[in-house]
């Protein structure tokens, strides 16, 4: 029996510009790590969190990682199990990169491993969504589903939950830049209007259909042309420093598409290779620095496989 | 040189339930036929129309077939050419089956043939859209594009025009029933609200993405689950006799999905084979008859190739 396990789960880019609340994909880096140990005392406890600057709760029922593992244990009728969690965060909180989703998924995958893998990845999704509800105030799946499954994921429907894995061009690389400004997910959602023009919605679902087609057809041009958001981006762009100039710069460096990651403030671009993705990340960070804004930058392929078990110990 | 040509162009189902204004597909039957002859006198004339009960204009500039051919000749700088048109309509006008699109496309393909095929099918699309504008008051492409190209077509964007051909499961069959009640396209559009709830739009584009994915994945179940329309159907269903009962009956006979064709009043269903498509058509027509409503019924595979040149004569 495994006595401890260390699991990595990836950051994710939700919405993918036109697919608000229904699309997301996972990257190779950054991502969070959970080290989980079986203990003799029943119940889930958080032993330590690093990389969060002391912002995340250590109380088990309030922390999204431990709380979602508690949901899982209850569901499996395994409340006698004791689990102790160390969470190592390697990305900023509130960055729009699915930070809470990565932690939650790493915890659920670790717990499932220690229990002998009773559930398949997709079966862990409802528990991850309960965790998201605790973290963000709404149980969305567009970060947790790709964090759990890897690759591109479509959430066709929430009631009932219907999740579809989409293919993607393997040459696709992702540039991500997090400008160190604060945009809480709750506030970013509240800015969005509850009613929209039907004609704008038609434009949006034309682009959603185009993006999905481009992924299936391996058509970078179609993917890029479809990465337009006439509904959400115009509102959320206001929260991101010099958003439209960042977009221009990304395209100058060869981006096929550019937009806000999740609710921001991170932005991302797709590039046809790693070299150009690196150039985009560097150019955007340089521009932000010229505005006096610090940033973090990442360059990554699409993560096809989701979470990784990095190591384990046997009893 | 060809002196005359006879062309068939297919009926089309626009919207495909969730893809309002962006999706459409072509069927094998019904469809319209155009017989076109070169004449010595320059200009486009309509010689005869059958099957329209005298409803379509014979004046060249007001008839969508001749007018779109005139647009084509102007574009090609071939105004010296004389063309005489016979239009044979084999489907009702105002049925929601792309009646005007089929006629227009048949005319354009015939004219292009007689001119030595200077343009490819996709290049004829703008002229067909001008014809649609004349017929329906708006230059939509969700009927003319599949009528011209065959198969399933996505119109990702109108400005600029961006058309994507989608694959489809070859076993997919279509049941179509036209209840003989009058619903003009213009009125059907005017019922639709100009503003919608964002949450409904999200539901809709989740389904659009699901339908497109299902077509690529050959997944009949996903196609069926995605054929839901929370925005347009609830309004347009009111114009169709006993719509919700027709849907129940279609599903009882094995439909994987059911909805309004274009702006109605025709309804259509997808079935996994021809046998069940025939059973659906029969059952729906029987029910309409029990309500005292006459109908026309069709059973068809998806038309993969679009218009057909049926015959031609050489000079």
């Amino acid at each position: 029996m495994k006595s401890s396990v260390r699991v990595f789960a990836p950051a994710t880019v939700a919405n993918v510009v036109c697919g608000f609340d229904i699309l997301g994909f996972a990257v190779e880096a950054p991502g969070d790590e959970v080290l989980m140990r079986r203990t003799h005392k029943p119940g889930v406890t958080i032993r330590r969190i690093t990389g969060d600057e002391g912002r995340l709760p250590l109380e088990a029922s309030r922390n999204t990682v431990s709380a979602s593992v508690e949901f899982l244990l209850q569901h499996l009728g395994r409340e006698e199990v004791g689990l102790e969690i160390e969470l190592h965060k390697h990305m900023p909180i509130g960055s729009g990169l699915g930070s809470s989703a990565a932690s939650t998924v790493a915890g659920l995958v670790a717990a499932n491993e220690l229990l002998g893998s009773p559930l398949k990845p997709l079966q862990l999704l409802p528990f991850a969504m309960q965790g998201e509800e605790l973290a963000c105030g709404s149980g969305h799946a567009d970060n947790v589903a790709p964090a759990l499954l890897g690759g591109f994921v479509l959430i066709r429907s929430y009631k009932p939950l219907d999740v579809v894995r989409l293919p993607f061009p393997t040459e696709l690389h992702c540039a991500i830049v997090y400008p160190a400004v604060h945009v809480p997910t709750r506030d970013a959602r509240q800015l969005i209007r509850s009613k929209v023009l039907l004609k704008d919605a038609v434009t949006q679902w034309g682009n959603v259909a185009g993006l999905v087609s481009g992924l299936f057809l391996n058509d970078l041009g179609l993917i890029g042309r479809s990465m337009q958001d006439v509904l959400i981006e115009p509102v959320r762009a206001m929260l991101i420093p010099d958003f439209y100039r960042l977009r221009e710069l990304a395209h100058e460096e060869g981006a096929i598409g550019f937009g806000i990651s999740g609710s921001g403030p991170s932005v991302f671009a797709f590039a046809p290779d790693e070299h150009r993705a690196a150039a985009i990340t560097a150019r955007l960070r340089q521009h932000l620095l010229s505005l006096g804004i610090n940033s973090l930058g990442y360059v990554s392929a699409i993560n096809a496989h989701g979470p990784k078990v990095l190591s384990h110990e046997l009893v």
Side-chain angles (χ1 to χ4, degrees), chain A:
Chain A
M1 197 172 69
K2 288 173 187 164
S3 61
S4 81
V5 66
R6 181 186 285 271
V7 173
F8 164 91
T12 43
V13 173
N15 300 346
V16 202
V17 184
C18 54
F20 181 67
D21 277 358
I22 66 154
L23 286 177
F25 67 89
V27 292
E28 296 284 4
D32 288 348
E33 279 180 42
V34 160
L35 173 62
M36 193 177 287
R37 290 187 192 86
R38 286 196 73 137
T39 58
H40 293 292
K41 193 179 150 212
V44 183
T45 51
I46 306 248
R47 187 171 176 241
R48 193 158 78 103
I49 303 177
T50 64
D52 71 329
E53 298 170 344
R55 289 169 60 189
L56 296 179
L58 288 160
E59 194 187 324
S61 64
R62 288 180 55 229
N63 183 294
T64 168
V65 183
S66 41
S68 59
V69 171
E70 282 176 345
F71 297 137
L72 176 67
L73 292 180
Q74 282 160 25
H75 170 81
L76 295 171
R78 297 292 304 275
E79 284 107 327
E80 88 288 357
V81 171
L83 296 171
E84 187 185 73
I85 295 168
E86 272 186 35
L87 170 61
H88 301 290
K89 292 207 67 71
H90 298 297
M91 67 181 114
I93 296 164
S95 56
L97 295 171
S99 167
S100 64
S103 300
T104 303
V105 165
L108 285 167
V109 170
N112 195 47
E113 279 287 313
L114 291 180
L115 295 168
S117 301
L119 298 186
K120 289 176 188 160
L122 189 57
Q123 293 174 307
L124 295 173
L125 184 54
F127 308 103
M129 287 171 68
Q130 284 181 285
E132 282 294 84
E133 185 144 10
L134 193 67
C136 313
S138 61
H140 284 275
D142 47 357
N143 288 114
V144 280
L148 199 51
L149 304 172
F152 268 81
V153 177
L154 159 67
I155 300 104
R156 185 199 60 85
S157 150
Y158 280 89
K159 286 180 185 174
L161 192 59
D162 191 2
V163 169
V164 183
R165 299 190 64 173
L166 306 178
F168 55 89
T170 48
E171 69 268 38
L172 206 60
H173 277 71
C174 186
I176 293 179
V177 172
Y178 164 66
V181 294
H182 183 57
V183 180
T185 304
R186 281 173 204 259
D187 294 1
R189 285 196 85 83
Q190 279 164 7
L191 275 178
I192 298 167
R193 291 195 180 78
S194 65
K195 282 201 170 183
V196 299
L197 289 174
L198 175 61
K199 76 176 180 59
D200 289 340
V202 171
T203 300
Q204 196 88 354
W205 65 61
N207 283 319
V208 169
L211 176 54
V212 171
S213 299
L215 291 170
F216 276 99
L217 294 167
N218 252 310
D219 183 336
L220 295 184
L222 179 56
I223 290 170
R225 294 197 300 279
S226 303
M227 288 171 67
Q228 298 184 46
D229 175 357
V230 297
L231 291 177
I232 316 297
E233 184 178 280
V235 179
R236 285 188 170 166
M238 295 186 290
L239 299 173
I240 295 166
D242 225 3
F243 177 80
Y244 294 102
R245 181 64 185 145
L246 292 176
R247 180 157 75 185
E248 281 174 7
L249 293 172
H251 283 292
E252 278 179 28
E253 295 295 338
I256 62 162
F258 173 86
I260 303 169
S261 176
S263 55
S266 291
V267 292
F268 79 105
F270 281 141
D273 55 54
E274 188 173 3
H275 177 73
R276 268 173 284 195
I280 293 164
T281 295
R283 187 82 182 271
L284 301 189
R285 296 191 66 199
Q286 185 186 35
H287 181 68
L288 287 167
L289 198 61
S290 77
L291 302 173
I293 296 166
N294 286 321
S295 66
L296 297 172
Y298 308 95
V299 177
S300 174
I302 310 298
N303 176 338
H305 305 293
K308 266 185 223 126
V309 177
L310 301 174
S311 63
H312 67 264
E313 287 171 24
L314 300 174
V315 177

